[in-house]
């Protein structure tokens, strides 16, 4: 799924590990979300959107993403 996670993470000077620790997942999970290899649960998407202070729809681009 297309998302802005990496762009936002880098802009805030956070590592994948730091983001993972803040939302309770591994660095590998954050990497997989950033690269589109893994789609987060609705709860993880919610936690990530809260971390970056935006809506889920603003963080994840549903309109340009292929439905799985």
């Amino acid at each position: 799924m297309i998302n802005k996670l990496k762009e936002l993470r880098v802009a805030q000077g956070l590592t994948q590990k730091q983001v993972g620790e803040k939302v309770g997942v591994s660095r590998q999970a954050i990497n997989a979300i950033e690269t589109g290899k893994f789609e987060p649960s609705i709860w993880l998407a919610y936690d990530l959107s809260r971390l970056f202070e935006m809506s889920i729809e603003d963080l994840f681009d549903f309109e340009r993403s292929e439905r799985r």
Side-chain angles (χ1 to χ4, degrees):
M1 176 177 290
I2 299 168
N3 64 75
K4 298 177 184 173
L5 185 56
K6 182 175 182 179
E7 171 187 334
L8 295 166
R9 176 181 62 75
V10 170
Q12 291 192 14
L14 297 169
T15 65
Q16 290 177 340
K17 182 178 179 185
Q18 289 169 321
V19 171
E21 288 172 349
K22 289 178 184 290
V23 296
V25 298
S26 67
R27 178 204 62 77
Q28 292 87 344
I30 298 301
N31 178 269
I33 295 168
E34 287 183 356
T35 59
K37 295 177 184 171
F38 174 73
E39 293 182 0
S41 69
I42 190 68
W43 287 110
L44 179 52
Y46 174 80
D47 290 342
L48 288 166
S49 70
R50 294 297 97 213
L51 176 65
F52 292 105
E53 300 178 344
M54 60 179 30
S55 70
I56 291 173
E57 292 86 357
D58 287 338
L59 181 57
F60 295 92
D61 190 342
F62 292 94
E63 292 185 14
R64 294 188 320 141
S65 297
E66 186 177 316
R67 186 180 287 247
R68 290 186 191 181

